[in-house]
Amino acid sequence: MALDELCTLLARHARDDATTAIEDLLIGREEADTSLPPATGTRMTLIAQGAKRLAYDDVVHHFQAGQYLVSSIAMPLKCHFIDATPERPVLGLCLLLHSSEVAGLLLQAAPDAVAHNDTAATPPPVAFSDVPDALLDASVRLVRLLDQPRDRDVLAPLVKREIIWRLITSEHGATVRQIGLTDSRLSPIARALRWIRDNYKEPFQVEDLAALIGLSASAFYRNFQAVTGTTPIQYQKKIRLQEARLLLAANPKDVARIGSLVGYSSPSQFSREYRRHFGAPPSQDAIRFAADAGDAKG
């Protein structure tokens, strides 16, 4: 199995300082239950053996073999290893992710080539999941190159590029795509995203927003879709609908006004788009929210 091979490779190449002969590839080996100083940086981490607890803000995750995480911002993650022994240490790898690499792939790829199955306008900064076979396979091939010095300098950048592409097109691609926004080539898109979030209630023309951030309309549209997987107008719609649901949960009796509060002038359009996005009309959600509130009080 690929995970077994990865464990063997990681055990052989682990160093005390976690560095390897491949730039940006770190290998971790822990033989005892211990806590480490908070790790920072944009990265992908994959656990091949053992488990650890990771905490950020008030959230604690149990992170175990066969799972990976991606972090899109340099936020500190507290780590505590679990059930680690010299005979069966915790083994994992970390690949540091750079904005220039992510941005380069986003700008190269056709927008419809990137998997955009996320519904949130703002993705989480840290995301966890079981590692897909394609990502695990590429990770194994990257670590194998530590035993192949003749091929390493030529092939390692190619395999790292494949791993980043696998991450971009994964279920957590939205989190990875955020890394590219700090690159100068995509920083105008970051400004546009902030503008839309701050002005989500207001109608706008794509051409006007493109001019505001200093891009042509075609370049703005193409790059915006590469980063978000959607158009500027659709992105605004996501924010409006998410805000509407929060308002509805807070005050389920005010369903008639929710649409106008988030910028919809047509109640029927609001109801239609809300149902398409969340799978139920706002009136039905209001009944459920009201019932949940009653149960909480009871």
Side-chain angles (χ1 to χ4, degrees):
M1 292 178 59
L3 202 60
D4 293 333
E5 181 182 358
L6 184 59
C7 286
T8 300
L9 290 167
L10 295 179
R12 181 159 68 244
H13 291 288
R15 300 173 179 173
D16 291 341
D17 64 0
T19 61
T20 71
I22 296 176
E23 186 178 9
D24 296 327
L25 176 65
L26 306 175
I27 293 177
R29 175 190 176 105
E30 291 295 334
E31 298 182 350
D33 294 359
T34 184
S35 296
L36 296 182
T40 60
T42 53
R43 63 199 181 278
M44 182 275 288
T45 302
L46 193 163
I47 295 293
Q49 179 173 281
K52 57 184 178 180
R53 293 189 183 93
L54 286 175
Y56 66 97
D57 291 336
D58 296 326
V59 182
V60 178
H61 287 275
H62 185 77
F63 187 29
Q64 58 190 6
Q67 295 183 323
Y68 76 105
L69 74 81
V70 289
S71 176
S72 66
I73 60 175
M75 65 186 304
L77 295 178
K78 299 176 182 178
C79 171
H80 182 82
F81 294 91
I82 304 170
D83 297 331
T85 65
E87 294 76 23
R88 188 173 175 80
V90 176
L91 296 168
L93 66 83
C94 174
L95 183 64
L96 304 180
L97 304 176
H98 300 291
S99 61
S100 59
E101 297 169 331
V102 176
L105 281 172
L106 289 173
L107 292 171
Q108 176 186 343
D112 58 359
V114 181
H116 301 296
N117 52 11
D118 50 285
T119 59
T122 304
V126 178
F128 296 79
S129 185
D130 292 338
V131 61
D133 290 342
L135 178 58
L136 177 59
D137 175 69
S139 301
V140 170
R141 285 187 279 111
L142 181 64
V143 182
R144 277 183 197 155
L145 289 173
L146 293 172
D147 292 322
Q148 302 165 17
R150 186 192 66 177
D151 302 327
R152 187 168 57 226
D153 290 345
V154 174
L155 295 183
L158 301 179
V159 182
K160 286 163 60 178
R161 186 176 173 86
E162 178 187 347
I163 289 173
I164 295 170
W165 178 249
R166 298 296 182 190
L167 293 171
I168 287 173
T169 56
S170 72
E171 65 177 302
H172 299 308
T175 294
V176 181
R177 294 193 296 273
Q178 295 297 301
I179 298 171
L181 289 175
T182 60
D183 184 83
S184 60
R185 291 167 292 176
L186 290 180
S187 58
I189 303 303
R191 295 200 303 273
L193 292 171
R194 287 193 296 270
W195 188 94
I196 295 174
R197 291 182 189 125
D198 292 342
N199 301 276
Y200 71 89
K201 298 179 184 179
E202 306 301 324
F204 68 91
Q205 297 295 321
V206 172
E207 295 79 6
D208 294 338
L209 183 52
L212 181 67
I213 63 172
L215 291 179
S216 68
S218 59
F220 170 59
Y221 191 91
R222 181 178 64 254
N223 293 347
F224 190 97
Q225 197 166 15
V227 172
T228 66
T230 188
T231 68
I233 300 300
Q234 290 170 335
Y235 184 85
Q236 182 194 48
K237 184 187 301 182
K238 283 185 178 183
I239 295 177
R240 284 181 170 181
L241 293 172
Q242 289 169 9
E243 183 66 20
R245 202 175 207 193
L246 290 173
L247 292 172
L248 195 59
N251 192 0
K253 295 181 180 180
D254 203 20
V255 64
R257 295 181 58 242
I258 296 296
S260 63
L261 289 175
V262 298
Y264 281 93
S265 57
S266 168
S268 60
Q269 181 187 10
F270 167 62
S271 181
R272 182 171 60 251
E273 292 184 355
Y274 187 102
R275 179 170 187 165
R276 185 180 301 124
H277 191 72
F278 293 117
S283 57
Q284 184 174 323
D285 259 0
I287 294 172
R288 180 170 61 83
F289 289 142
D292 290 344
D295 290 343
K297 290 180 181 179

